Amino acid sequence: MSTVHASSRLFSSASSLSVSVVSASVAGGVLLSLLLALCSAGASAAVPAANAELEAAEIENELTERELAETANYSDGEISIDHPVSWQVSVSESGEVSIVETAPDVANDGSALPAPPTEPQEILVETQVFRVAAPPGPLVDANIDSFIDEGAAVSRYTSVEIDDQDALVIWLADRPNELSSAIATFIGYGDETIFLFSRYSPDNESAENSILRLHSSFTNLRTNLMEPDPSSRPPSDTAAPSAQLPR
């Protein structure tokens, strides 16, 4: 799996900010401060709705035997992640992992659906996994700016623990894409961050739970975490994975 290098911008101060209201119209630096405040001790009480949803998702993560039978695992020696068995995994030449759910090619009665052989299958959910050589603060900062610039709305967020590490989950809406909803998860490993980005249609009612299970199953198998080189500044189009996300 490849490592994306990101510029190491400083955090905005979050010591005295309220976290009761969040909207995409807030400036990126201030929004980052709100998100950082959320991650601090005691801030979770300010977002009961998000935490209630997370608790529900955690309960649902107690998979039934049938669901376990329908769950597959991808592992490449650097990462391990669970996904529905019908979803497809691909790895780009640069080593980035994508996990995709496509529309079924059979009807409800089991009969084959006619489709031109050259027509690609409709994507219902797409998840991309990035390993970024930067701590989570600068990466969240860069991506919040990118989300706002594209016109997306940050609908809610919460802090969680994934792979025994602190993580931040952000729900996005109104992205300029047919798959206009998204969930972004940032998992911090010191000076390195795992960034999982899943996009889906808001009409896909089952997508959110599947995505949350997928994100929460992530395990980092790399033992020697990379540290960013402060003397190198990457080109602007690779400064943060947000520049590579599909629109």
Side-chain angles (χ1 to χ4, degrees):
M1 175 175 191
S2 66
T3 299
V4 178
H5 290 271
S7 57
S8 53
R9 290 189 282 170
L10 297 177
F11 291 108
S12 300
S13 172
S15 59
S16 61
L17 293 175
S18 166
V19 294
S20 58
V21 179
V22 174
S23 75
S25 62
V26 180
V30 175
L31 181 54
L32 170 61
S33 298
L34 297 177
L35 295 173
L36 293 175
L38 171 67
C39 296
S40 64
S44 59
V47 283
N51 285 338
E53 281 206 38
L54 186 70
E55 289 172 2
E58 289 174 345
I59 292 173
E60 294 222 16
N61 273 331
E62 298 178 2
L63 302 179
T64 65
E65 290 184 6
R66 176 183 175 184
E67 288 169 327
L68 284 170
E70 296 176 349
T71 300
N73 175 266
Y74 170 80
S75 177
D76 60 8
E78 292 199 0
I79 70 169
S80 172
I81 194 166
D82 296 336
H83 60 86
V85 69
S86 61
W87 293 18
Q88 303 166 10
V89 180
S90 62
V91 183
S92 70
E93 292 183 0
S94 59
E96 285 149 10
V97 176
S98 294
I99 305 174
V100 174
E101 178 191 20
T102 57
D105 55 6
V106 295
N108 292 334
D109 62 1
S111 60
L113 293 173
T118 58
E119 183 176 316
Q121 286 183 289
E122 177 189 4
I123 293 177
L124 302 179
V125 178
E126 181 178 32
T127 296
Q128 293 171 282
V129 184
F130 301 90
R131 183 184 295 275
V132 188
L139 188 62
V140 171
D141 192 356
N143 280 276
I144 287 297
D145 288 342
S146 176
F147 296 149
I148 293 174
D149 287 345
E150 73 175 10
V154 177
S155 59
R156 61 194 189 276
Y157 52 83
T158 190
S159 56
V160 297
E161 186 174 286
I162 298 175
D163 193 26
D164 296 325
Q165 306 295 318
D166 292 333
L168 179 67
V169 183
I170 303 174
W171 285 259
L172 301 168
D174 302 327
R175 298 188 69 238
N177 187 280
E178 291 183 4
L179 302 179
S180 59
S181 294
I183 298 176
T185 298
F186 303 84
I187 312 172
Y189 295 89
D191 286 334
E192 190 168 80
T193 304
I194 292 295
F195 175 32
L196 300 102
F197 187 84
S198 297
R199 60 192 187 104
Y200 60 101
S201 167
D203 298 327
N204 188 343
E205 297 179 355
S206 65
E208 185 172 326
N209 282 341
S210 296
I211 291 168
L212 291 175
R213 286 173 180 168
L214 185 152
H215 286 206
S216 64
S217 73
F218 179 87
T219 302
N220 187 11
L221 302 180
R222 180 184 285 187
T223 56
N224 56 330
L225 299 182
M226 296 181 61
E227 295 186 4
D229 181 0
S231 64
S232 63
R233 177 176 292 274
S236 58
D237 63 342
T238 59
S242 56
Q244 304 173 20
L245 298 180
R247 295 186 178 275

